[in-house]
Amino acid sequence: GAGVSQSPSNKVTEKGKDVELRCDPISGHTALYWYRQSLGQGLEFLIYFQGNSAPDKSGLPSDRFSAERTGGSVSTLTIQRTQQEDSAVYLCASSALGGRETQYFGPGTRLLVL
Amino acid sequence: QKEVEQDPGPLSVPEGAIVSLNCTYSNSAFQYFMWYRQYSRKGPELLMYTYSSGNKEDGRFTAQVDKSSKYISLFIRDSQPSDSATYLCAMSFKDNFNKFYFGSGTKLNVKP
């Protein structure tokens, strides 16, 4: 079956532009996570969606970052007015129920802000 | 101080060697410990998880947790070139699985 997919795989943008990153989770998975992985750093938690509950946004680094999940499936992470320090790999993961259930990661979107 | 510390490596070993990968952590409330493997330009995949202290074995892989020392380890026996990847440890609290705290990863190279 299909795994988690993310698009685009690579994105180069200019400082100050807005970008949208997309995540298609595994069908039927109710939990969805966004992480950021910078060079030499571990995965940094950004946001967590679980079913129809209010998302846990506590990891978003600034108000330039936002995410939504439509219909309990596809999620979009938006970064407004991008800065060079936003350059990183953005990873999405989904799990069947959240909690201790195994998270399945997508391949990531590599974002480069010039 | 980071919540989870992990030596970035790289760690280079010959094929067949026993590999030891380690993480230390600062928060004694962590209860759930995981190891992920990440190949280049791929997302991480879960290798093993343990709850609280103790050992867990799965094939060539053994995970150990020493809560008294706040130290976790992953051992790989009979290492293979296909084990070459970055290994990330991760942990979470008992009652909050919204957030997982990751180490920065150790890059392993197994030479044939």
Side-chain angles (χ1 to χ4, degrees):
Chain A
V4 178
S5 60
Q6 292 185 246
S7 60
S9 54
N10 294 281
K11 177 73 178 176
V12 181
T13 191
E14 293 179 348
K15 177 182 172 182
K17 301 275 189 179
D18 297 352
V19 295
E20 281 190 356
L21 312 179
R22 177 185 166 109
C23 172
D24 281 272
I26 293 172
S27 177
H29 279 191
T30 63
L32 187 147
Y33 305 76
W34 281 100
Y35 295 89
R36 178 167 69 177
Q37 187 174 30
S38 303
L39 191 64
Q41 303 293 316
L43 274 67
E44 175 190 4
F45 167 81
L46 297 178
I47 189 168
Y48 166 67
F49 295 90
Q50 171 56 283
N52 295 321
S53 302
D56 178 349
K57 303 180 182 181
S58 60
L60 295 178
S62 77
D63 59 8
R64 295 187 296 105
F65 287 74
S66 62
E68 62 178 23
R69 188 178 184 191
T70 52
S73 182
V74 171
S75 177
T76 302
L77 177 69
T78 301
I79 309 173
Q80 296 178 308
R81 304 181 303 281
T82 52
Q83 304 294 310
Q84 289 182 332
E85 61 263 29
D86 298 334
S87 297
V89 178
Y90 289 82
L91 289 158
C92 172
S94 71
S95 72
L97 296 172
R100 292 191 212 173
E101 295 287 323
T102 299
Q103 294 183 36
Y104 295 87
F105 282 83
T109 294
R110 281 152 190 81
L111 175 66
L112 177 61
V113 182
L114 300 176
Chain B
Q1 183 187 8
K2 285 185 181 179
E3 297 266 16
V4 182
E5 299 277 0
Q6 187 175 8
D7 187 329
L11 180 62
S12 187
V13 301
E15 183 176 354
I18 296 174
V19 176
S20 172
L21 303 166
N22 311 292
C23 288
T24 58
Y25 60 95
S26 56
N27 195 325
S28 58
F30 284 132
Q31 291 277 354
Y32 192 56
F33 303 92
M34 292 147 279
W35 285 96
Y36 284 82
R37 178 175 62 196
Q38 185 175 23
Y39 291 113
S40 180
R41 306 189 76 80
K42 302 284 188 184
E45 56 177 333
L46 182 67
L47 271 179
M48 297 184 71
Y49 67 88
T50 54
Y51 181 70
S52 196
S53 286
N55 295 357
K56 187 172 184 179
E57 188 173 321
D58 184 1
R60 297 185 294 112
F61 297 89
T62 299
Q64 285 187 353
V65 175
D66 181 349
K67 293 197 71 184
S68 62
S69 301
K70 299 195 192 75
Y71 188 86
I72 68 171
S73 301
L74 178 71
F75 296 96
I76 307 174
R77 290 182 299 281
D78 187 27
S79 56
Q80 302 295 310
S82 58
D83 295 328
S84 298
T86 296
Y87 290 79
L88 300 123
C89 62
M91 44 200 80
S92 68
F93 300 112
K94 179 181 179 181
D95 298 319
N96 184 353
F97 294 97
N98 290 7
K99 285 185 186 177
F100 290 77
Y101 296 80
F102 283 80
S104 56
T106 299
K107 188 168 185 178
L108 172 67
N109 180 33
V110 181
K111 298 173 293 185

